[in-house]
Amino acid sequence: MSTVTATEHRAPDAAAEPLVRVQSVRKSYGAHQVLRGITLDVHPGEVLCLLGPSGSGKSTLLRCVNHLERIDGGRISVGGQLVGYRQHQGRIHEMTQRQIAEQRRGIGMVFQRFNLFPHKTALENITEAPVGVRGIGKTAASARARELLDRVGLADHAGKYPTQLSGGQQQRVAIARALAMDPELMLFDEPTSALDPELVGEVLEVMRSLADAGMTMIVVTHEIGFARSAADRVVFMDGGVVVEQGDPAQVIDAPRHERTRAFIQSVL
């Protein structure tokens, strides 16, 4: 992993307009209300970590940010544009699938499972979207993919297939694949939860390097150490609401709410 170097973490631009705005967002599955009016802003360059027990709504909120889940109320915008919807003559209309796909180009997402194409090499997995979606030439896409593989410490693994890679290596390829679309926002949905413990560190190291480089990130995680060291702000969710938020020293080391304290103690 010598290719990943840490620098001083760049502070988010709090004076700039929020890159992500989540306003009074509600989401239900049948009678079960998963999100109960969530409101959050994320500024350019900010690393926001979402903590909370299973079922608290963290992953659902993340999936709503790039419209993998439709919201039932409220609004989400990225870069000043409504996500998944457009406003016309005072009414909100859902975008077409093509328009939604176009919008997602600026939002990278890394899932719990790596979702790599098993029949494609690491290099081919990374070049698939730039060539097929953005129309970038194969030569340029391959050169960029090799740069990204080097960035995540896998320069010598370009020709390997997913089955020839460890789980941590596959997840690093998945991160490189998301970066290949040059996103302005990266979403991570518990990216280390499917990994063996000894492989977690190599993925978190890459994520820290992205944070150090100023990438705007929303991370759902149970990795308290990562949240403490890399996050600009930590949000603790439970029961579909934001219970507490603030800088890591406050929320993790000196939580104000009993529910937050109990959760932090349980995961530590």
Side-chain angles (χ1 to χ4, degrees):
M1 294 294 295
S2 59
T3 56
V4 178
T5 58
T7 59
E8 184 178 351
H9 182 61
R10 297 183 186 178
D13 187 357
E17 284 294 311
L19 178 63
V20 182
R21 303 209 75 169
V22 178
Q23 299 170 286
S24 302
V25 166
R26 293 179 285 106
K27 173 66 180 178
S28 296
Y29 297 105
H32 179 47
Q33 193 170 5
V34 181
L35 301 177
R36 303 170 180 265
I38 299 291
T39 295
L40 286 172
D41 286 347
V42 184
H43 285 85
E46 184 172 16
V47 178
L48 179 74
C49 282
L50 298 176
L51 304 181
S54 297
S56 60
K58 311 179 302 296
S59 292
T60 298
L61 176 60
L62 201 72
R63 291 172 65 85
C64 287
V65 170
N66 68 352
H67 204 63
L68 287 174
E69 298 282 356
R70 294 182 176 90
I71 61 176
D72 297 323
R75 293 187 177 196
I76 299 175
S77 61
V78 175
Q81 301 295 316
L82 283 177
V83 172
Y85 299 89
R86 59 184 177 83
Q87 186 167 338
H88 180 66
Q89 295 181 346
R91 289 189 167 188
I92 300 295
H93 305 271
E94 188 170 16
M95 291 178 172
T96 66
Q97 289 302 309
R98 177 175 291 185
Q99 290 170 330
I100 293 168
E102 176 73 23
Q103 194 173 56
R104 285 193 186 122
R105 293 186 186 186
I107 304 174
M109 187 158 186
V110 178
F111 300 88
Q112 296 178 29
R113 296 291 175 178
F114 326 120
N115 298 330
L116 300 177
F117 293 114
H119 61 290
K120 292 182 180 291
T121 65
L123 188 76
E124 291 167 342
N125 266 281
I126 297 169
T127 59
E128 177 78 10
V131 172
V133 177
R134 295 185 61 190
I136 295 176
K138 289 185 178 180
T139 300
S142 292
R144 173 63 172 155
R146 291 185 185 279
E147 291 175 3
L148 290 169
L149 282 170
D150 184 55
R151 183 175 182 179
V152 301
L154 294 173
D156 296 332
H157 294 70
K160 291 185 178 180
Y161 291 89
T163 55
Q164 298 173 301
L165 300 172
S166 70
Q169 290 170 335
Q170 289 185 62
Q171 192 63 294
R172 284 187 276 155
V173 172
I175 293 172
R177 178 181 59 184
L179 292 173
M181 295 295 283
D182 294 320
E184 60 180 346
L185 170 68
M186 284 286 287
L187 308 176
F188 293 87
D189 187 8
E190 298 192 36
T192 60
S193 64
L195 300 179
D196 292 333
E198 65 269 22
L199 302 177
V200 169
E202 64 191 52
V203 173
L204 294 181
E205 184 181 350
V206 171
M207 293 171 63
R208 284 192 183 93
S209 76
L210 296 179
D212 292 339
M215 173 64 73
T216 309
M217 299 162 58
I218 305 177
V219 184
V220 173
T221 184
H222 288 298
E223 298 291 340
I224 299 299
F226 173 82
R228 182 186 281 116
S229 64
D232 297 294
R233 185 157 46 105
V234 172
V235 171
F236 175 70
M237 292 178 60
D238 192 22
V241 301
V242 173
V243 175
E244 186 168 358
Q245 64 175 303
D247 63 57
Q250 175 204 314
V251 177
I252 295 174
D253 299 323
R256 297 171 181 169
H257 292 265
E258 177 56 37
R259 185 66 189 92
T260 314
R261 284 195 292 272
F263 174 79
I264 296 296
Q265 289 172 1
S266 71
V267 296
L268 289 178

